[in-house]
Amino acid sequence: MAFKKRALLPPLIILIAIALVVLLMSLRPQIPMRSMERPAVLVEVQEAQPENINMIVAGQGNVQPKHTTNLVAQVSGQIVEISPNFQNGGFFNEGDVLLRIDPQDYEVALQSAKANLAQAKAALAEESARAQVAREEWESLELGEIPALGLREPQVASAVAAMQSAEAAVAKAQRDLDRTVIRAPFAGLLSNKNVDLGQFINVSSQIGQLMGTETAEIRVPLSDRDLAFLNLPSTEQTDNFPRVQLRSEVAGVTHTWQGNLVRSEGVLDSNSRVIYGVVEVKDPYNRNGDTHPEILRFGRFVALDIEGLFVENVFRIPRYALTADGNVWLVDEDRRLQRQHVEVLRAEENAVVINEGLKAGDQVVLTQLANALPSMKVRLPGDPLPQQMERKPDENSKDAVGDEDADQTANTNKE
């Protein structure tokens, strides 16, 4: 009997311990558990606002002079004088002396031509006097009509022709003498120097190349799509040319210049199928004052923004806001996504211009969403996070026990 009692003692102890544990758990105060609702995706939006804008057509090209000429000698001789600026990069105004050719032979030729002219004039005067005497004698004889030979008309005509020939010779000799002084035909800079002091040059010898500095030109390739947004000037147009802004980096700093699209070349390039527009910039080297903040040198590569057509009530949004299928995502008043198809009037480098599909006040999503779906819940900057919800834990929940142990540990640490 005593053995049976001892055998029942361990199970009885275990049962009592289990009962005590259950009792303690039932007496533990209920701890609220927090459950967080998963927040909606945060997106950045741009409010659509209608604009009235001038379309901008981008282009690029090299700066070149409007006028370029190769200076050629019209007389031969030795160069006896050159201008101090007659060197590569030297500037000249219209009419400035570039160099002089030895004029002595041409001065002698001019004097000889003038002497011949004086002889021809004297011969003409003599023949005219003889003709007058012949006329008076014939009239005194009253023999009727005077014949041409009697009035020495052939001799007078020959003397007149000789005088005219002598005058032409004087003009040619004077012109040759004037050509010994070579002047700049327009304001510009010397880009190539081919002769120097003391050198003998012949007729048609190239002296150098002069680039005009009054106006610079840039040839800009324009596609058919570009032409759709431009008002190309006509050949009769003399003002109100489209404005053009030029940009280029000079010594690490980006500078801008102002010009105008003045004409097109009128012929499509057979290789690239583009037409070239011509942009002019006045006084690129600032020779007439501070026309530009920086000198625009010939040969510089520039980017251009050409003022195009004026359009009204369009929307400009970043290019990345447009999806691959030509749609945008909008956020409605309930903070849900809505897909919207739009019509793109023009795609620019970093933006697109929309003329249909948007209205003022639309919230256009700018954030790139990998798995966007219509009616998907989103959150905008400034929206509050979802409120924390409280619920009673399950009596048999292990989390509840863990929370109680954590609270007890925290209270113990505070004590």
Side-chain angles (χ1 to χ4, degrees):
M1 189 66 180
F3 176 77
K4 290 182 177 180
K5 289 181 178 180
R6 286 196 300 271
L8 295 175
L9 185 58
L12 182 61
I13 294 174
I14 293 173
L15 293 174
I16 295 173
I18 292 173
L20 291 174
V21 170
V22 171
L23 178 62
L24 290 174
M25 291 181 62
S26 63
L27 295 176
R28 187 188 69 172
Q30 298 293 330
I31 300 175
M33 295 188 62
R34 297 179 177 179
S35 127
M36 290 290 294
E37 178 185 354
R38 185 174 182 178
V41 177
L42 179 65
V43 296
E44 182 183 358
V45 296
Q46 173 182 315
E47 184 176 350
Q49 294 294 339
E51 301 180 52
N52 300 330
I53 61 174
N54 278 102
M55 305 298 291
I56 300 298
V57 176
Q60 55 190 12
N62 288 311
V63 181
Q64 299 295 335
K66 182 176 182 179
H67 301 292
T68 302
T69 185
N70 290 319
L71 301 173
V72 177
Q74 295 178 286
V75 294
S76 60
Q78 186 182 26
I79 298 175
V80 295
E81 180 185 345
I82 62 173
S83 169
N85 289 338
F86 189 74
Q87 54 189 347
N88 291 347
F91 288 93
F92 294 92
N93 293 320
E94 182 178 357
D96 285 355
V97 175
L98 303 179
L99 55 85
R100 297 179 187 271
I101 298 173
D102 188 359
Q104 294 181 8
D105 293 341
Y106 300 99
E107 290 173 349
V108 171
L110 178 60
Q111 291 177 356
S112 177
K114 287 182 178 179
N116 293 334
L117 176 59
Q119 290 179 353
K121 287 182 177 180
L124 176 59
E126 183 179 354
E127 288 298 333
S128 298
R130 289 177 179 178
Q132 183 64 28
V133 171
R135 176 185 293 275
E136 291 175 355
E137 290 179 351
W138 189 272
E139 290 178 350
S140 65
L141 297 175
E142 298 180 356
L143 297 177
E145 185 179 356
I146 306 175
L149 188 60
L151 292 177
R152 302 184 63 83
E153 290 183 358
Q155 291 82 349
V156 173
S158 177
V160 169
M163 187 190 69
Q164 291 175 343
S165 177
E167 288 176 343
V170 170
K172 182 181 183 304
Q174 182 65 56
R175 187 165 57 249
D176 289 342
L177 179 60
D178 293 340
R179 287 172 176 172
T180 60
V181 179
I182 299 178
R183 302 178 182 273
F186 46 75
L189 65 87
L190 192 71
S191 59
N192 288 318
K193 174 185 176 183
N194 298 330
V195 297
D196 212 334
L197 185 65
Q199 183 176 345
F200 186 90
I201 58 177
N202 294 313
V203 177
S204 300
S205 295
Q206 288 198 359
I207 297 171
Q209 186 180 62
L210 191 66
M211 293 182 172
T213 55
E214 293 181 352
T215 306
E217 287 188 345
I218 303 96
R219 296 175 70 240
V220 187
L222 301 172
S223 65
D224 286 340
R225 183 168 180 81
D226 293 331
L227 295 177
F229 300 99
L230 284 177
N231 280 322
L232 281 180
S234 61
T235 55
E236 297 82 9
Q237 189 172 349
T238 58
D239 54 4
N240 295 326
F241 297 115
R243 292 176 297 180
V244 181
Q245 184 182 71
L246 294 77
R247 290 177 286 105
S248 183
E249 190 173 287
V250 181
V253 179
T254 300
H255 292 274
T256 61
W257 299 267
Q258 300 297 323
N260 295 94
L261 179 66
V262 296
R263 69 179 188 277
S264 69
E265 295 186 352
V267 179
L268 285 175
D269 185 88
S270 58
N271 296 321
S272 59
R273 310 308 301 171
V274 300
I275 190 172
Y276 281 90
V278 179
V279 175
E280 285 190 356
V281 179
K282 299 296 184 181
D283 191 24
Y285 280 80
N286 286 348
R287 301 193 63 191
N288 298 327
D290 296 332
T291 309
H292 308 285
E294 178 70 20
I295 292 176
L296 180 61
R297 302 183 187 277
F298 296 143
R300 180 171 297 282
F301 184 82
V302 293
L304 303 98
D305 294 327
I306 306 172
E307 183 181 72
L309 297 177
F310 182 76
V311 293
E312 299 179 343
N313 295 323
V314 294
F315 301 86
R316 179 181 276 138
I317 62 174
R319 194 162 186 166
Y320 56 82
L322 191 70
T323 63
D325 54 358
N327 298 319
V328 296
W329 289 103
L330 304 180
V331 178
D332 61 17
E333 296 179 354
D334 297 329
R335 296 295 192 267
R336 296 190 180 276
L337 292 180
Q338 303 296 336
R339 192 194 306 270
Q340 179 63 43
H341 180 72
V342 294
E343 292 293 334
V344 177
L345 178 62
R346 179 172 175 81
E348 300 175 347
E349 182 178 2
N350 298 315
V352 289
V353 179
I354 307 297
N355 61 342
E356 292 184 12
L358 294 179
K359 60 181 183 295
D362 283 346
Q363 301 288 332
V364 180
V365 177
L366 304 182
T367 305
Q368 303 295 305
L369 300 174
N371 300 310
L373 295 172
S375 299
M376 174 179 169
K377 190 75 172 178
V378 294
R379 183 165 52 91
L380 303 183
D383 288 352
L385 291 171
Q387 293 183 354
Q388 297 176 346
M389 304 297 294
E390 295 186 356
R391 61 180 177 84
K392 292 184 179 181
D394 187 1
E395 292 181 356
N396 297 326
S397 172
K398 293 182 180 179
D399 293 340
V401 176
D403 289 344
E404 181 183 21
D405 294 341
D407 292 342
Q408 291 176 357
T409 303
N411 292 334
T412 303
N413 293 336
K414 290 181 181 179
E415 291 176 358

